[in-house]
Coordinates of all heavy atoms in Angstrom, one line a residue:
D1068 N 66.9 -74.8 -51.2 CA 66.9 -76.3 -51.2 C 68.2 -76.8 -51.8 O 69.2 -76.0 -52.1 CB 65.7 -76.8 -52.0 CG 65.7 -76.4 -53.5 OD1 66.7 -76.0 -54.0 OD2 64.6 -76.6 -54.1
S1069 N 68.3 -78.1 -52.0 CA 69.6 -78.7 -52.5 C 70.0 -78.3 -53.9 O 71.1 -78.4 -54.3 CB 69.5 -80.2 -52.4 OG 68.5 -80.7 -53.2
N1070 N 69.0 -77.7 -54.6 CA 69.3 -77.2 -56.0 C 69.5 -75.7 -56.0 O 69.6 -75.1 -57.1 CB 68.1 -77.6 -56.9 CG 67.9 -79.0 -57.1 OD1 68.9 -79.8 -57.2 ND2 66.7 -79.5 -57.1
G1071 N 69.6 -75.1 -54.9 CA 69.8 -73.6 -54.8 C 68.6 -72.8 -55.0 O 68.7 -71.5 -55.1
N1072 N 67.4 -73.4 -55.0 CA 66.2 -72.6 -55.1 C 65.7 -72.1 -53.8 O 65.9 -72.7 -52.7 CB 65.0 -73.5 -55.7 CG 65.4 -74.1 -57.1 OD1 65.8 -73.3 -57.9 ND2 65.3 -75.4 -57.2
A1073 N 65.1 -70.9 -53.8 CA 64.6 -70.3 -52.5 C 63.4 -71.1 -52.1 O 62.5 -71.5 -52.9 CB 64.2 -68.9 -52.7
V1074 N 63.2 -71.3 -50.8 CA 62.1 -72.1 -50.2 C 61.5 -71.2 -49.2 O 62.1 -70.7 -48.3 CB 62.6 -73.4 -49.6 CG1 61.4 -74.1 -49.0 CG2 63.3 -74.3 -50.6
L1075 N 60.2 -71.1 -49.2 CA 59.4 -70.3 -48.3 C 58.6 -71.3 -47.5 O 57.8 -72.0 -48.1 CB 58.5 -69.3 -48.9 CG 57.9 -68.2 -48.1 CD1 57.6 -67.0 -48.9 CD2 56.7 -68.7 -47.4
M1076 N 58.8 -71.4 -46.2 CA 58.1 -72.4 -45.4 C 57.2 -71.7 -44.4 O 57.6 -70.8 -43.7 CB 59.1 -73.3 -44.6 CG 60.0 -74.0 -45.6 SD 61.3 -75.0 -44.7 CE 60.2 -76.4 -44.2
E1077 N 55.9 -72.2 -44.3 CA 55.0 -71.8 -43.3 C 54.9 -73.0 -42.3 O 54.5 -74.1 -42.6 CB 53.7 -71.5 -43.9 CG 52.6 -71.1 -43.0 CD 52.7 -69.7 -42.3 OE1 53.6 -68.9 -42.7 OE2 52.1 -69.5 -41.3
L1078 N 55.1 -72.7 -41.0 CA 55.1 -73.8 -40.0 C 53.9 -73.6 -39.1 O 53.6 -72.5 -38.6 CB 56.4 -73.7 -39.1 CG 57.7 -73.7 -39.9 CD1 58.9 -73.4 -39.0 CD2 57.9 -74.9 -40.7
K1079 N 53.2 -74.7 -38.8 CA 52.1 -74.8 -38.0 C 52.2 -75.8 -36.9 O 52.7 -76.9 -37.2 CB 50.8 -75.0 -38.8 CG 50.5 -74.0 -39.9 CD 50.2 -72.7 -39.3 CE 50.0 -71.6 -40.3 NZ 49.8 -70.3 -39.7
R1080 N 51.8 -75.6 -35.7 CA 51.8 -76.6 -34.6 C 50.5 -77.4 -34.6 O 50.4 -78.3 -33.8 CB 52.0 -75.9 -33.3 CG 53.4 -75.2 -33.2 CD 53.7 -74.7 -31.8 NE 53.7 -75.7 -30.8 CZ 54.7 -76.5 -30.5 NH1 55.9 -76.5 -31.2 NH2 54.7 -77.4 -29.6
R1081 N 49.6 -77.0 -35.4 CA 48.3 -77.7 -35.4 C 48.0 -78.2 -36.8 O 48.8 -78.0 -37.7 CB 47.2 -76.7 -34.9 CG 47.1 -75.5 -35.8 CD 45.9 -74.6 -35.5 NE 46.1 -73.3 -36.2 CZ 46.0 -73.1 -37.5 NH1 45.9 -74.2 -38.3 NH2 46.1 -72.0 -38.1
T1082 N 46.8 -78.8 -37.0 CA 46.4 -79.3 -38.3 C 46.4 -78.1 -39.4 O 45.8 -77.1 -39.1 CB 45.0 -79.9 -38.3 OG1 45.1 -81.1 -37.4 CG2 44.6 -80.4 -39.6
G1083 N 47.0 -78.3 -40.5 CA 47.0 -77.3 -41.5 C 45.7 -77.3 -42.2 O 45.1 -78.4 -42.6
G1084 N 45.1 -76.1 -42.4 CA 43.8 -76.0 -43.0 C 43.8 -75.0 -44.2 O 44.9 -74.5 -44.5
P1085 N 42.6 -74.8 -44.8 CA 42.6 -74.0 -46.0 C 43.1 -72.6 -45.7 O 43.8 -72.0 -46.6 CB 41.1 -73.9 -46.3 CG 40.5 -75.2 -45.8 CD 41.4 -75.5 -44.5
K1086 N 42.9 -72.0 -44.6 CA 43.4 -70.6 -44.3 C 44.9 -70.6 -44.3 O 45.5 -69.6 -44.7 CB 42.8 -70.1 -43.0 CG 41.4 -69.7 -43.1 CD 40.9 -69.1 -41.9 CE 39.4 -68.7 -42.1 NZ 38.8 -67.9 -41.0
D1087 N 45.5 -71.7 -43.9 CA 47.0 -71.8 -43.8 C 47.5 -71.8 -45.2 O 48.5 -71.2 -45.6 CB 47.4 -73.0 -43.0 CG 46.9 -72.9 -41.6 OD1 46.9 -71.9 -41.0 OD2 46.4 -74.0 -41.1
V1088 N 46.8 -72.6 -46.1 CA 47.3 -72.7 -47.5 C 47.1 -71.3 -48.2 O 48.0 -70.9 -48.9 CB 46.4 -73.7 -48.3 CG1 46.8 -73.8 -49.8 CG2 46.6 -75.1 -47.7
E1089 N 46.0 -70.6 -47.9 CA 45.8 -69.3 -48.5 C 46.9 -68.3 -48.0 O 47.4 -67.5 -48.8 CB 44.4 -68.7 -48.1 CG 43.3 -69.5 -48.8 CD 41.9 -69.1 -48.2 OE1 41.9 -68.4 -47.2 OE2 40.9 -69.6 -48.8
Q1090 N 47.3 -68.4 -46.7 CA 48.3 -67.5 -46.2 C 49.6 -67.8 -46.9 O 50.3 -66.9 -47.3 CB 48.5 -67.8 -44.7 CG 49.5 -66.9 -44.1 CD 49.6 -67.2 -42.6 OE1 49.3 -68.3 -42.1 NE2 50.1 -66.1 -41.8
L1091 N 50.0 -69.1 -47.1 CA 51.3 -69.4 -47.7 C 51.2 -69.0 -49.2 O 52.2 -68.4 -49.7 CB 51.5 -71.0 -47.7 CG 52.7 -71.5 -48.4 CD1 54.0 -70.8 -47.9 CD2 52.8 -73.0 -48.4
Q1092 N 50.1 -69.1 -49.9 CA 50.0 -68.7 -51.3 C 50.2 -67.2 -51.4 O 50.8 -66.7 -52.3 CB 48.6 -69.1 -51.9 CG 48.5 -68.8 -53.3 CD 49.5 -69.5 -54.2 OE1 49.6 -70.7 -54.1 NE2 50.3 -68.8 -54.9
R1093 N 49.6 -66.4 -50.4 CA 49.9 -64.9 -50.4 C 51.4 -64.6 -50.3 O 51.9 -63.7 -51.0 CB 49.1 -64.3 -49.3 CG 47.6 -64.1 -49.6 CD 46.9 -63.2 -48.6 NE 47.1 -63.6 -47.2 CZ 46.3 -64.4 -46.6 NH1 45.3 -65.0 -47.2 NH2 46.5 -64.8 -45.3
Y1094 N 52.0 -65.3 -49.3 CA 53.5 -65.1 -49.2 C 54.2 -65.4 -50.5 O 55.1 -64.6 -50.9 CB 54.0 -65.9 -48.1 CG 53.6 -65.6 -46.7 CD1 53.6 -66.6 -45.7 CD2 53.1 -64.4 -46.4 CE1 53.2 -66.3 -44.4 CE2 52.6 -64.1 -45.1 CZ 52.7 -65.1 -44.1 OH 52.2 -64.8 -42.8
V1095 N 53.9 -66.5 -51.1 CA 54.5 -66.9 -52.4 C 54.2 -65.8 -53.4 O 55.2 -65.4 -54.2 CB 54.1 -68.3 -52.8 CG1 54.5 -68.6 -54.3 CG2 54.6 -69.4 -51.9
D1096 N 53.0 -65.4 -53.6 CA 52.6 -64.4 -54.6 C 53.3 -63.1 -54.4 O 53.6 -62.4 -55.3 CB 51.1 -64.2 -54.6 CG 50.3 -65.4 -55.1 OD1 50.9 -66.2 -55.8 OD2 49.1 -65.4 -54.9
N1097 N 53.6 -62.7 -53.1 CA 54.2 -61.4 -52.8 C 55.7 -61.5 -52.7 O 56.3 -60.5 -52.4 CB 53.6 -60.9 -51.5 CG 52.2 -60.4 -51.7 OD1 51.9 -59.8 -52.7 ND2 51.3 -60.8 -50.8
S1098 N 56.3 -62.7 -52.9 CA 57.8 -62.8 -52.9 C 58.4 -62.1 -54.1 O 57.8 -62.1 -55.2 CB 58.1 -64.3 -52.9 OG 59.5 -64.4 -53.0
R1099 N 59.5 -61.5 -53.9 CA 60.2 -60.8 -55.0 C 61.0 -61.8 -55.8 O 61.6 -61.3 -56.8 CB 61.0 -59.7 -54.4 CG 60.2 -58.6 -53.7 CD 61.0 -57.5 -53.2 NE 60.1 -56.6 -52.5 CZ 60.4 -55.4 -52.1 NH1 61.6 -55.0 -52.4 NH2 59.5 -54.7 -51.5
V1100 N 61.2 -63.0 -55.4 CA 61.9 -64.0 -56.1 C 61.0 -65.2 -56.3 O 60.0 -65.4 -55.6 CB 63.2 -64.4 -55.5 CG1 64.2 -63.2 -55.4 CG2 63.0 -65.0 -54.1
D1101 N 61.4 -66.1 -57.2 CA 60.6 -67.4 -57.4 C 61.0 -68.2 -56.2 O 62.2 -68.4 -55.8 CB 61.1 -68.1 -58.7 CG 60.5 -67.5 -59.9 OD1 59.5 -66.7 -59.8 OD2 61.1 -67.6 -61.0
V1102 N 60.0 -68.8 -55.5 CA 60.2 -69.6 -54.3 C 59.3 -70.8 -54.4 O 58.3 -70.9 -55.1 CB 59.8 -68.9 -53.0 CG1 60.7 -67.7 -52.8 CG2 58.4 -68.4 -53.0
R1103 N 59.8 -71.9 -53.7 CA 58.9 -73.1 -53.5 C 58.2 -72.8 -52.2 O 58.8 -72.5 -51.2 CB 59.8 -74.3 -53.3 CG 60.4 -74.8 -54.6 CD 61.4 -76.0 -54.3 NE 60.8 -77.0 -53.4 CZ 61.6 -77.7 -52.6 NH1 62.9 -77.6 -52.6 NH2 61.0 -78.6 -51.8
G1104 N 56.9 -73.0 -52.2 CA 56.1 -72.8 -51.0 C 55.8 -74.1 -50.3 O 55.3 -75.0 -51.0
V1105 N 56.2 -74.3 -49.1 CA 56.0 -75.5 -48.4 C 55.3 -75.2 -47.0 O 55.7 -74.4 -46.2 CB 57.4 -76.2 -48.0 CG1 57.2 -77.5 -47.3 CG2 58.2 -76.3 -49.3
L1106 N 54.2 -75.9 -46.8 CA 53.4 -75.8 -45.6 C 53.8 -77.0 -44.8 O 53.7 -78.2 -45.2 CB 51.9 -75.8 -45.9 CG 51.0 -75.6 -44.8 CD1 51.3 -74.3 -44.0 CD2 49.5 -75.6 -45.2
V1107 N 54.2 -76.8 -43.5 CA 54.7 -77.8 -42.6 C 53.7 -77.8 -41.4 O 53.5 -76.8 -40.8 CB 56.1 -77.5 -42.1 CG1 56.6 -78.6 -41.2 CG2 57.0 -77.4 -43.3
A1108 N 53.1 -79.0 -41.1 CA 52.2 -79.2 -40.0 C 52.2 -80.6 -39.6 O 52.6 -81.5 -40.3 CB 50.8 -78.7 -40.4
P1109 N 51.6 -80.9 -38.4 CA 51.5 -82.3 -37.9 C 50.6 -83.1 -38.8 O 50.7 -84.3 -39.0 CB 51.0 -82.2 -36.5 CG 51.2 -80.8 -36.1 CD 51.2 -80.0 -37.3
S1110 N 49.5 -82.5 -39.4 CA 48.6 -83.1 -40.3 C 47.9 -82.1 -41.1 O 48.0 -80.9 -40.8 CB 47.6 -83.9 -39.4 OG 46.9 -83.1 -38.6
F1111 N 47.1 -82.5 -42.1 CA 46.4 -81.6 -42.9 C 45.0 -82.0 -43.2 O 44.7 -83.2 -43.3 CB 47.1 -81.5 -44.3 CG 48.5 -80.9 -44.2 CD1 49.6 -81.7 -43.9 CD2 48.7 -79.6 -44.3 CE1 50.8 -81.2 -43.8 CE2 50.0 -79.0 -44.2 CZ 51.1 -79.9 -43.9
S1112 N 44.0 -81.1 -43.3 CA 42.7 -81.4 -43.7 C 42.6 -81.8 -45.2 O 43.6 -81.5 -45.9 CB 41.8 -80.2 -43.5 OG 42.0 -79.2 -44.4
E1113 N 41.7 -82.6 -45.5 CA 41.5 -83.0 -47.0 C 41.5 -81.8 -47.8 O 42.0 -81.8 -48.9 CB 40.3 -83.9 -47.1 CG 40.5 -85.3 -46.5 CD 39.4 -86.2 -46.8 OE1 38.7 -86.1 -47.8 OE2 39.1 -87.1 -45.9
R1114 N 40.7 -80.8 -47.4 CA 40.5 -79.6 -48.3 C 41.9 -78.8 -48.4 O 42.2 -78.4 -49.5 CB 39.5 -78.6 -47.6 CG 39.3 -77.3 -48.4 CD 38.6 -77.6 -49.7 NE 38.6 -76.3 -50.4 CZ 39.0 -76.2 -51.7 NH1 39.4 -77.2 -52.4 NH2 38.9 -75.0 -52.3
A1115 N 42.7 -78.8 -47.3 CA 44.0 -78.2 -47.4 C 44.9 -78.9 -48.4 O 45.5 -78.3 -49.2 CB 44.6 -78.1 -46.0
L1116 N 44.8 -80.2 -48.4 CA 45.7 -81.0 -49.3 C 45.3 -80.8 -50.7 O 46.1 -80.7 -51.6 CB 45.6 -82.5 -49.0 CG 46.3 -82.9 -47.6 CD1 46.0 -84.4 -47.3 CD2 47.8 -82.6 -47.7
A1117 N 44.0 -80.7 -51.0 CA 43.5 -80.4 -52.3 C 43.9 -79.0 -52.8 O 44.4 -78.8 -53.9 CB 41.9 -80.5 -52.4
M1118 N 43.9 -78.0 -51.9 CA 44.3 -76.7 -52.2 C 45.8 -76.6 -52.5 O 46.3 -75.9 -53.4 CB 43.9 -75.7 -51.1 CG 42.4 -75.5 -51.0 SD 42.0 -74.5 -49.6 CE 42.7 -72.9 -50.0
I1119 N 46.6 -77.3 -51.7 CA 48.0 -77.4 -51.9 C 48.3 -77.9 -53.3 O 49.1 -77.4 -54.0 CB 48.7 -78.3 -50.8 CG1 48.7 -77.6 -49.5 CG2 50.1 -78.7 -51.2 CD1 49.0 -78.4 -48.3
H1120 N 47.6 -79.0 -53.7 CA 47.8 -79.5 -55.0 C 47.4 -78.5 -56.1 O 48.1 -78.3 -57.0 CB 47.0 -80.8 -55.2 CG 47.1 -81.4 -56.5 ND1 48.2 -82.0 -57.0 CD2 46.2 -81.4 -57.5 CE1 47.9 -82.4 -58.3 NE2 46.7 -82.0 -58.6
D1121 N 46.2 -77.9 -55.9 CA 45.7 -76.9 -56.9 C 46.7 -75.7 -57.1 O 46.8 -75.2 -58.2 CB 44.3 -76.4 -56.5 CG 43.3 -77.5 -56.6 OD1 43.5 -78.6 -57.2 OD2 42.2 -77.2 -56.0
H1122 N 47.3 -75.3 -56.0 CA 48.2 -74.1 -56.0 C 49.6 -74.5 -56.3 O 50.5 -73.6 -56.3 CB 48.1 -73.4 -54.7 CG 46.8 -72.7 -54.4 ND1 46.4 -71.5 -55.1 CD2 45.8 -72.9 -53.5 CE1 45.3 -71.1 -54.7 NE2 44.9 -71.9 -53.7
E1123 N 49.9 -75.8 -56.6 CA 51.2 -76.3 -56.8 C 52.2 -75.9 -55.7 O 53.4 -75.6 -56.0 CB 51.7 -75.8 -58.2 CG 50.8 -76.3 -59.3 CD 51.3 -75.8 -60.7 OE1 52.2 -75.0 -60.8 OE2 50.8 -76.4 -61.7
L1124 N 51.7 -76.0 -54.5 CA 52.5 -75.9 -53.3 C 53.0 -77.3 -52.9 O 52.6 -78.3 -53.5 CB 51.8 -75.2 -52.2 CG 51.3 -73.8 -52.6 CD1 50.3 -73.2 -51.5 CD2 52.5 -72.8 -52.7
E1125 N 53.8 -77.3 -51.8 CA 54.2 -78.6 -51.2 C 53.9 -78.6 -49.8 O 53.5 -77.6 -49.2 CB 55.7 -78.7 -51.4 CG 56.2 -78.6 -52.9 CD 57.7 -78.5 -53.0 OE1 58.4 -79.3 -52.3 OE2 58.2 -77.7 -53.8
Y1126 N 54.0 -79.8 -49.2 CA 53.7 -79.9 -47.8 C 54.6 -81.0 -47.1 O 55.1 -81.9 -47.8 CB 52.2 -80.2 -47.5 CG 51.8 -81.6 -47.9 CD1 51.7 -82.6 -46.9 CD2 51.5 -82.0 -49.2 CE1 51.3 -83.9 -47.2 CE2 51.1 -83.2 -49.5 CZ 51.0 -84.3 -48.6 OH 50.6 -85.5 -48.9
A1127 N 54.7 -80.9 -45.8 CA 55.4 -81.9 -45.1 C 54.7 -82.1 -43.7 O 54.4 -81.1 -43.1 CB 56.9 -81.5 -44.8
E1128 N 54.5 -83.4 -43.4 CA 53.9 -83.7 -42.1 C 55.0 -83.9 -41.1 O 55.7 -84.9 -41.2 CB 53.0 -84.9 -42.2 CG 51.7 -84.6 -43.0 CD 50.7 -85.7 -43.0 OE1 51.0 -86.8 -42.3 OE2 49.7 -85.6 -43.6
I1129 N 55.1 -83.0 -40.1 CA 56.1 -83.1 -39.1 C 55.5 -82.8 -37.7 O 54.8 -81.8 -37.6 CB 57.2 -82.0 -39.3 CG1 57.8 -82.0 -40.7 CG2 58.3 -82.1 -38.2 CD1 58.8 -83.1 -41.0
E1130 N 55.7 -83.7 -36.8 CA 55.1 -83.5 -35.5 C 56.0 -82.6 -34.7 O 57.2 -82.9 -34.6 CB 55.0 -84.9 -34.8 CG 54.2 -84.9 -33.5 CD 52.8 -84.6 -33.8 OE1 52.2 -85.1 -34.7 OE2 52.2 -83.8 -32.9
P1131 N 55.5 -81.5 -34.1 CA 56.4 -80.6 -33.4 C 56.9 -81.3 -32.1 O 56.2 -82.1 -31.5 CB 55.5 -79.4 -33.0 CG 54.1 -80.0 -33.1 CD 54.1 -81.1 -34.1
T1132 N 58.1 -80.9 -31.8 CA 58.7 -81.4 -30.5 C 58.2 -80.7 -29.3 O 57.6 -79.6 -29.5 CB 60.3 -81.2 -30.6 OG1 60.6 -79.9 -30.7 CG2 60.9 -82.1 -31.7
S1133 N 58.2 -81.3 -28.2 CA 57.7 -80.6 -27.0 C 58.6 -79.5 -26.6 O 59.9 -79.6 -26.8 CB 57.6 -81.6 -25.8 OG 56.8 -82.7 -26.2
A1134 N 58.0 -78.5 -26.0 CA 58.8 -77.3 -25.5 C 59.8 -77.9 -24.5 O 59.5 -78.7 -23.7 CB 57.9 -76.3 -24.9
G1135 N 61.0 -77.3 -24.5 CA 62.0 -77.6 -23.5 C 63.0 -78.7 -23.9 O 64.0 -79.0 -23.3
K1136 N 62.7 -79.5 -25.0 CA 63.6 -80.5 -25.4 C 64.8 -79.8 -26.2 O 64.6 -78.8 -26.8 CB 62.9 -81.5 -26.4 CG 62.0 -82.5 -25.7 CD 61.6 -83.6 -26.6 CE 60.7 -84.6 -25.9 NZ 60.3 -85.7 -26.8
N1137 N 65.9 -80.4 -26.1 CA 67.1 -79.9 -26.7 C 67.4 -80.6 -28.0 O 68.5 -81.0 -28.4 CB 68.3 -80.0 -25.8 CG 68.2 -79.1 -24.7 OD1 67.7 -78.0 -24.8 ND2 68.7 -79.4 -23.5
E1138 N 66.3 -80.9 -28.7 CA 66.4 -81.7 -30.0 C 66.4 -80.6 -31.2 O 65.5 -79.9 -31.3 CB 65.3 -82.6 -30.2 CG 65.4 -83.5 -31.4 CD 64.3 -84.5 -31.5 OE1 63.8 -85.0 -30.5 OE2 63.9 -84.8 -32.6
H1139 N 67.4 -80.7 -32.0 CA 67.5 -79.7 -33.1 C 67.6 -80.5 -34.4 O 68.3 -81.5 -34.5 CB 68.7 -78.8 -33.0 CG 68.6 -78.0 -31.7 ND1 67.8 -76.9 -31.7 CD2 69.2 -78.1 -30.6 CE1 67.9 -76.3 -30.4 NE2 68.8 -77.1 -29.7
K1140 N 66.9 -80.0 -35.4 CA 67.0 -80.7 -36.7 C 67.5 -79.7 -37.8 O 67.2 -78.4 -37.6 CB 65.6 -81.2 -37.2 CG 65.1 -82.3 -36.3 CD 63.8 -82.9 -36.8 CE 63.3 -83.9 -35.9 NZ 63.9 -85.2 -36.1
S1141 N 68.1 -80.1 -38.8 CA 68.6 -79.2 -39.8 C 67.4 -79.0 -40.8 O 66.5 -79.9 -40.9 CB 69.8 -79.7 -40.5 OG 69.5 -80.8 -41.3
L1142 N 67.4 -77.9 -41.5 CA 66.4 -77.6 -42.5 C 66.3 -78.7 -43.5 O 65.2 -79.1 -44.0 CB 66.7 -76.3 -43.1 CG 65.7 -75.7 -44.1 CD1 64.3 -75.6 -43.5 CD2 66.1 -74.4 -44.7
S1143 N 67.4 -79.3 -43.9 CA 67.4 -80.4 -44.9 C 66.6 -81.6 -44.5 O 66.1 -82.3 -45.4 CB 68.8 -80.8 -45.3 OG 69.4 -81.4 -44.1
E1144 N 66.4 -81.8 -43.2 CA 65.6 -83.0 -42.8 C 64.1 -82.8 -43.1 O 63.3 -83.7 -43.1 CB 65.7 -83.2 -41.3 CG 67.2 -83.7 -40.9 CD 67.3 -83.9 -39.5 OE1 66.7 -84.8 -38.9 OE2 68.1 -83.1 -38.8
F1145 N 63.6 -81.5 -43.4 CA 62.3 -81.2 -43.7 C 62.0 -81.3 -45.1 O 60.8 -81.2 -45.5 CB 61.9 -79.9 -43.1 CG 61.9 -79.8 -41.6 CD1 63.0 -79.4 -40.9 CD2 60.8 -80.3 -40.8 CE1 63.1 -79.4 -39.6 CE2 60.9 -80.3 -39.5 CZ 62.0 -79.8 -38.8
M1146 N 62.9 -81.4 -45.9 CA 62.8 -81.3 -47.4 C 62.7 -82.7 -48.1 O 63.3 -83.5 -47.7 CB 63.8 -80.4 -48.0 CG 63.9 -79.0 -47.4 SD 62.4 -78.2 -47.3 CE 62.0 -78.0 -49.0

């Protein structure tokens, strides 16, 4: 990130749910360095948002682009 911290991002093309939060938490727990865990999806279930808060993770609501478009974004646009 802009402060030099490692960021671990889990990207989903569908609504983020509890299993996605659990998966991201496992990745964070198994990381060999301190990381910020960020779940990225078009939307999130209420339960997933509560779990993100409980696990002190982060999230971003991003609508995926359609396949075949030549639109590129930099990682900084998601943070």
Side-chain angles (χ1 to χ4, degrees):
D1068 67 10
S1069 61
N1070 295 320
N1072 301 309
V1074 178
L1075 195 154
M1076 299 178 78
E1077 177 69 14
L1078 308 175
K1079 299 296 179 184
R1080 293 188 61 82
R1081 55 169 173 68
T1082 299
K1086 289 186 179 189
D1087 302 318
V1088 178
E1089 291 169 354
Q1090 181 179 27
L1091 176 59
Q1092 186 62 55
R1093 282 192 305 274
Y1094 293 157
V1095 169
D1096 289 345
N1097 290 314
S1098 174
R1099 295 180 184 195
V1100 297
D1101 287 336
V1102 296
R1103 288 175 43 211
V1105 182
L1106 185 57
V1107 180
S1110 61
F1111 296 88
S1112 70
E1113 288 184 31
R1114 179 69 185 130
L1116 291 173
M1118 291 173 68
I1119 288 168
H1120 176 75
D1121 291 347
H1122 290 289
E1123 298 181 351
L1124 298 170
E1125 300 173 47
Y1126 72 97
E1128 290 186 2
I1129 307 281
E1130 193 65 39
T1132 58
S1133 297
K1136 284 191 176 179
N1137 291 326
E1138 182 179 330
H1139 299 280
K1140 295 186 183 279
S1141 70
L1142 183 59
S1143 64
E1144 293 180 67
F1145 295 95
M1146 304 310 296

